[in-house]
Amino acid sequence: MDEILAYAYSDVIVAAPYVIGAYVLIWVALLIFVIIMLNSSKKTQSDIDALREAIERREKEQK
Amino acid sequence: MSNALEHSYNLAQTRQKWTTIAVIALILGLVLTTFDVIWAFFRAPIVASDVVIDPPAVLEGGTVITNQLLFSQKIFYFHVPVAIVSFVLIIAAAVYAVLHLMHHSAETDLRSKTCMEVGLVFIIGTMISGDLWTRHDWGVWWVWEPRLTTYFILTLLVIAYFVLRTAIDEPERKARFSAVFAIIAAIDAPISFGITRLIPSSIHPVLERGDSGMSPDMLIPFVCGIFGMLLVAFGIFRLRLLLQEQKLEVESLKARLEELDRQ
Amino acid sequence: MTAKAKAPGGWQQYCALLGKDIRMELRTREMLVSMGVYAILVLTIYGAALSQTASSFDILSVAAGLMWALILFTSLLGLNRSFSHETENSSLEGILLTPVSRPLVFAAKATSNLIFLLAVEVIAVPLFFIFFMGQAELGSTTPLMILPIILGSIGIAGIGTFLSTLTLNTRGRDVLLAILMVPVVFPLLYACVSATSVALLGIEGQIEIFWRSLLLAGGYDVIMLAASWGLYEFVLGS
């Protein structure tokens, strides 16, 4: 009886790593993408801030 | 304050608003997909496979199990939503491409390109999850089966789209040509989507027509998965768009700075 | 065809453009010679690739695929050359200055490419049969393979003309054309290989697969040619 049940559920243990792995990998792929984007966004924002400062300074000088 | 600076601050404000919306969409999507997966793992019924057990196993509650149970089917609850979203993104890229050809605005080109980029990420997600399932259920990493083949072609088309973009320097022509190619590439999306129904010999599993084929216990997580992934895609699309806009702003600020220096 | 008929004098314009391409080719023979030589080179490579196969090897099961690979590679080379006159002498600008509708330019160019491709196939396909299929037991339906060849060539010439215009003034255009073309043409290739294979094997009861593959190939041709026709003005543009 137990053997039969074990057989009925035998796929679960074999398949679980693949199923969980697939789920994790999808999120890893998405997360890596988001993190790369956020990082580069931060960098660009600091560029923007620096540029703004430079423009402001120059505009004051010219006045 | 000069016009350029004021414009820049205004842009920053709208960006702030959209960043918040994007992050909320991402978190909501994460919650929905997590809910989907937890439900799929613990509540959705395990589908029976073709392997018959003889004699059948009888559980204590009186439930009779006649077939070996197929746990790997549970990949359906997130593999399919990711795949559907990848199709949606490719079609969206084509729609923006059509809009670009009609109005020639730089904005539609940017959106079309961004849709393609996010689409590629989702295509990679579909490929990875699908491959793991193929490895387990079919025992191989890859089969030249109609669905897999057409989907692989879609991947190549999206990659070709980016190769085409890098090969053209002139911005106006680049936008126009990539819009044309995005439309051509999108023709493959419905083909890939429908091929399992078009060619019956395809061994890729097909979702039966109509929702009657799925019990609520299966339908609820599946629908949550689709909406969750759509939200995630929207969030990433918005973030990506913001990043591109930031980069454009850097360019315009740089130009303004040079202009000031010359005066 | 209807669109051509509606435009006054469209047919004459089409004939003039087509005639120009054919006359040019007959004078220089640039495309035909390079495609023909290239086809023979591919056949030579097949000779090396298949040289170690056992005598029991059933060439029929892979023949259709090999033949279509030959056609696709040859057409890629030709399509890269098809606009070379136009760019070298900037005669494309000349054509565009005339009030010829853009899709008409596409139709003429695609037709001339189709004619050249078919001309090369008339030599390359029989050579393929002589070199590799000498001992194969061909099915009785073998002559039917002309149909997928024609449908496939129409699609390859049409899609190829469209994409080679797209890659006309790009960096590394030879490689780029292949990168764009192979995935776009793939569904057509798949259907044509399937139809040709069925025709070559001639197994009874499978002819239905032949017609279905042919229908798929034809459907894809229609979709792609219509898309190319409609989008061509954006490719040539201003």
Side-chain angles (χ1 to χ4, degrees), chain B residues 2-221:
Chain B
S2 72
N3 281 337
L5 269 185
E6 209 171 307
H7 182 61
S8 164
Y9 283 122
N10 284 341
L11 277 181
Q13 248 174 6
T14 22
R15 267 212 299 272
Q16 196 62 48
K17 192 186 82 188
W18 277 111
T19 314
T20 322
I21 292 174
V23 169
I24 289 172
L26 269 179
I27 292 169
L28 215 61
L30 182 65
V31 170
L32 271 177
T33 45
T34 313
F35 173 75
D36 155 39
V37 166
I38 290 172
W39 186 304
F41 268 44
F42 297 109
R43 279 214 58 182
I46 305 186
V47 173
S49 74
D50 300 336
V51 185
V52 179
I53 308 170
D54 191 39
V58 184
L59 294 183
E60 274 174 35
T63 327
V64 183
I65 302 173
T66 53
N67 294 53
Q68 194 183 355
L69 297 169
L70 206 57
F71 185 76
S72 60
Q73 179 269 344
K74 288 194 186 290
I75 204 167
F76 157 85
Y77 294 101
F78 40 96
H79 169 71
V80 178
V82 172
I84 287 178
V85 170
S86 75
F87 286 134
V88 169
L89 283 164
I90 302 300
I91 297 294
V95 171
Y96 279 125
V98 171
L99 287 177
H100 176 79
L101 291 181
M102 283 163 66
H103 306 301
H104 304 285
S105 71
E107 201 189 332
T108 43
D109 173 52
L110 189 65
R111 277 163 195 240
S112 180
K113 180 188 151 209
T114 311
C115 275
M116 278 286 191
E117 284 169 342
V118 185
L120 187 59
V121 176
F122 275 84
I123 284 174
I124 291 169
T126 312
M127 281 283 194
I128 294 173
S129 58
D131 256 358
L132 282 169
W133 184 85
T134 320
R135 180 75 190 86
H136 175 262
D137 264 47
W138 296 343
V140 286
W141 288 110
W142 188 261
V143 185
W144 288 101
E145 181 270 345
R147 168 58 74 72
L148 265 60
T149 308
T150 44
Y151 201 75
F152 182 61
I153 291 306
L154 190 66
T155 318
L156 289 182
L157 285 167
V158 174
I159 292 171
Y161 172 86
F162 292 114
V163 177
L164 176 67
R165 283 196 83 96
T166 54
I168 309 172
D169 293 321
E170 209 186 312
E172 192 272 333
R173 215 158 55 93
K174 178 197 275 194
R176 185 153 45 87
F177 280 20
S178 31
V180 167
F181 192 70
I183 295 168
I184 294 284
I187 292 175
D188 192 53
I191 292 178
S192 181
F193 185 78
I195 196 112
T196 39
R197 293 175 182 87
L198 208 68
I199 301 180
S201 67
S202 164
I203 47 175
H204 191 280
V206 185
L207 184 61
E208 293 303 322
R209 278 280 167 127
D211 299 330
S212 53
M214 277 200 277
S215 67
D217 256 358
M218 298 172 85
L219 198 62
I220 291 171

Side-chain angles (χ1 to χ4, degrees), chain A residues 10-55:
Chain A
S10 62
D11 181 61
V12 173
I13 292 142
V14 187
Y18 287 100
V19 177
I20 295 167
Y23 177 67
V24 169
L25 279 177
I26 287 177
W27 270 107
V28 166
L30 291 177
L31 259 177
I32 289 175
F33 191 60
V34 170
I35 288 170
I36 290 173
M37 258 178 358
L38 286 180
N39 263 344
S40 114
S41 171
K42 237 179 241 165
K43 227 181 276 167
T44 328
Q45 191 54 49
S46 67
D47 281 358
I48 290 177
D49 291 341
L51 279 168
R52 272 185 196 152
E53 227 171 86
I55 291 175

